[in-house]
Amino acid sequence: MSQTNIADTSAGKRVMWTYMLTGLGIFFLMVLVGIAMRAAQAGWIGIDPGTFYSLLSLHGIGMITAMAIAGLGILWYFVSRYTPLNQGVAFLAYGFFLAGVASVIISVIPGHYGALWTALYPLPFTGTYWPNWATGAWLIGNSLVMIGFMIWCAQILGALLARFGGVRGILAIDYVFKNREFTQSGKEPPPPEMFAAAITAIDGFIGGTAGLLVVVALIVHWIDPSVAIDPLWAKNLIYQFGHTFANLTMYMAVAGVYVGLPMCTKRAYHTSIPLAIAWWGTLTFVIIAYFHHLYMDFAQLQFVQYVGEISSYLAAIPVVVVTVFGGVMLVHRSGMKWSVGSMFLFAGMIGWVVGGLGAVLDATIPINIELHNTLWVPAHFHTYLLEGVLLFIMGWAFVNLEQRAGSASSLLTRWLIGTGMFGGGALFLLPFYIAGADGVPRRYATEPTPGPYYAGVATVGAAILLLGFLLAIIEAVRLARSKNTSVAA
Amino acid sequence: MQSTLVLEIFIGVAGLAIVLMLWLANYRSSDPIPQADVSATGYAIRRYWLWTTLIVAVAVFAFTVPQFPYQKAKADANARHYPVVAQQYSFSMPSTLPLNTPIVFDVTSKDVNHGFGIYGPNDKIFSQVQAMPDYVNHLAVTFTVPGHYTVRCLEYCGIAHAAMQGGFDVK
Ligand code: HEM
Ligand SMILES: [Cu+2]
């Protein structure tokens, strides 16, 4: 079980790059949709409300799915280095993702579906402005994505349990509770990125089950409208899936830090007892942290509201604290040379901390009363998705490309990319926070003042971010094409 | 809680974290030392650091529990109840409400989920609760500032969600 017998396989790399490039491709298209929406909120371009909500539905599910596909590809590769995996299964899951995305696009572009990706029953059936078939295409598309995700989870979970000695082994239970015996017998706990894979697989399977349950109920209602659904039940399940899926993208992508940062710093990222315990926190609490989406549903079981606040804290705080601390320790006085890859991985940790802070504040009920469903919500999740998840994914990609090319990017290139991605990012994100704290609601095609003003600033920021992203892609292509000048790595 | 204060806390703490992390990454970066040396100090700090954050989290939880809104509607048996019914795309509710009087809004919806978001005369969110069909949510408030309050829908409900507004006067 030592870290040295890592086997790089071409299958692993093929799955990883296929997933990663697909994810980044969808991301790029969805950024264009995002900029269009923000410009519309600024009043700079005219988008009628119906189209706006169709675009918002597409952007929401599309972005989360994009990040998930990329993250799952990276994790699949990491797991394949420890145990052989059947790539046919990975491409089966991939097929489900693509079919799901296609179905969603059909439902939104010709179909004009517009009840958002977390449609709350009696939506998407009441007061619709799109044909009934579009609702069906949407629901079927969603279920295909969920099935693809669950196929991935099942494959990875099975492989991990077999490779690392069951649940006890993969969760490092003996390593934590019987540490002395464990280490004396010469055993090693699973490396950090395997925790990311295991937690994604376990919690992802639970989330996928909840999601399928409610989507199947909605499909049944779509076929036979006389079948009634309890709105509170549906809301719980929708957010159990939605929150878990969106949040897990972070826990997928962070594996890129566990593996990538050691490559940059020439140091090792070891599993430690606090790291294992922190991941147990995420494992346990990430599936119930979604209760914070129902804070303003006073009819919800009251006990659950209390659980919601504390589990929101415990799902996020320990793992951020331990991982980021470890990451900073890795870089500190390591003599690491900054490259686009290491810069992205490090900046991603900053984005994770900042977005996490925004999330934890909003997960505090007395604060949530003033921030629930304001722009503060997209503020925090765009922070950790754009300046966290995306940077981890791109950072990992760059670390690979840099190593293969045996060279890094010039200082000027790094500055330009950094200014675009972080400067543009800040200019895009800060207006969300400020307007949110000011009470501007989220999901408004037309915002009350001062919303449109901030939307304008944010549109400029997003455009700058897009430039930075495109520059990074050009640089990535350049690195990918350049010949390795150093000794084969 | 004042949301502007929350914003200030956020910007302050986030700024501090950014500066600290960048400083730790760049501090004497051209003068490397072995990983074991960093770990030795790092692990010692991490123990306190992890416990401190966890204790702060639990303390914040304990501190905020008394401020949860859920018990308030039951707390005052004499509070006056006012029904609020949301429907695509309007609210039916009283047009005037009393000042300095404990009030409970009984909020529900006739069709889909809506949000009953009350904005004060200063146009900041005063309070809110969801309007869910088949359920009634009880929101207890006491208005201490007279004037016109705007109500905005705070849950996506369909094409005219952004236009779903109402209001009442408090006097
Ligand atoms: C420059 C890049 C981006 C831009 C310009 C952008 C823009 C937007 C805008 C304007 C909204 C609507 C906010 C509102 O009024 O409620 C939104 C919502 C959203 N965005 Fe983005 N976004 C970007 C990146 C991302 C990324 C990277 C993700 C996830 C990985 C993401 C996921 C979402 C989600 C889940 C929603 C909420 C959808 C809903 O309310 O149902 N976005 N985005
Ligand atoms: Cu609404």
Side-chain angles (χ1 to χ4, degrees), chain A residues 111-378:
Chain A
H112 255 81
Y113 168 91
L116 307 190
W117 83 288
T118 50
L120 300 178
Y121 179 85
L123 287 178
F125 303 105
T126 305
T128 54
Y129 57 89
W130 56 89
N132 201 31
W133 68 260
T135 306
W138 174 269
L139 293 173
I140 290 165
N142 273 256
S143 59
L144 292 174
V145 169
M146 290 166 188
I147 292 170
F149 185 38
M150 287 172 78
I151 292 174
W152 185 98
C153 293
Q155 183 189 24
I156 294 299
L157 191 58
L160 289 175
L161 292 178
R163 169 68 173 80
F164 290 96
V167 177
R168 280 170 82 113
I170 188 61
L171 295 181
I173 303 220
D174 290 339
Y175 167 71
V176 171
F177 287 118
K178 299 183 194 153
N179 186 266
R180 185 165 306 179
E181 288 169 45
F182 187 86
T183 33
Q184 272 171 1
S185 65
K187 289 191 214 156
E188 275 181 42
E193 70 271 21
M194 291 302 113
F195 286 88
I199 272 69
T200 300
I202 297 170
D203 288 333
F205 203 84
I206 297 171
T209 309
L212 268 184
L213 203 62
V214 62
V215 167
V216 167
L218 292 173
I219 291 176
V220 169
H221 181 89
W222 175 61
I223 295 167
D224 178 1
S226 68
V227 179
I229 298 175
D230 183 293
L232 187 57
W233 175 85
K235 187 170 180 181
N236 269 285
L237 288 183
I238 282 282
Y239 276 116
Q240 203 292 327
F241 168 73
H243 180 84
T244 308
F245 192 43
N247 206 171
L248 281 179
T249 60
M250 173 51 84
Y251 300 117
M252 299 166 194
V254 73
V257 176
Y258 291 141
V259 182
L261 218 43
M263 288 162 67
C264 303
T265 56
K266 311 238 170 10
R267 286 177 171 178
Y269 202 126
H270 293 291
T271 294
S272 59
I273 292 180
L275 186 91
I277 296 178
W279 276 104
W280 295 352
T282 305
L283 171 72
T284 316
F285 294 110
V286 84
I287 46 174
I288 47 177
Y290 84 87
F291 289 140
H292 57 228
H293 284 277
L294 286 96
Y295 278 163
M296 294 302 116
D297 286 277
F298 293 7
Q300 171 93 317
L301 204 63
Q302 223 181 84
F303 163 72
V304 155
Q305 310 286 19
Y306 294 73
V307 175
E309 183 169 307
I310 198 76
S311 30
S312 302
Y313 293 169
L314 295 183
I317 296 174
V319 79
V320 178
V321 162
V322 173
T323 300
V324 171
F325 196 94
V328 172
M329 269 199 330
L330 226 51
V331 173
H332 185 64
R333 298 193 66 181
S334 65
M336 177 187 86
K337 299 266 176 303
W338 287 108
S339 66
V340 177
S342 58
M343 170 175 88
F344 276 178
L345 290 178
F346 197 83
M349 296 199 295
I350 295 181
W352 189 14
V353 169
V354 174
L357 175 68
V360 161
L361 286 169
D362 192 25
T364 306
I365 294 172
I367 296 177
N368 187 263
I369 296 179
E370 287 180 40
L371 295 181
H372 196 89
N373 282 349
T374 66
L375 288 178
W376 188 279
V377 182

Side-chain angles (χ1 to χ4, degrees), chain A residues 34 38 41 59 63 67 117 381-382 385 428 442-443:
Chain A
R38 212 64 184 118
Q41 285 171 329
H59 175 86
M63 275 296 194
M67 293 295 121
W117 83 288
F381 71 68
H382 279 93
L385 288 161
F428 168 60
R442 73 182 286 201
R443 297 169 163 168

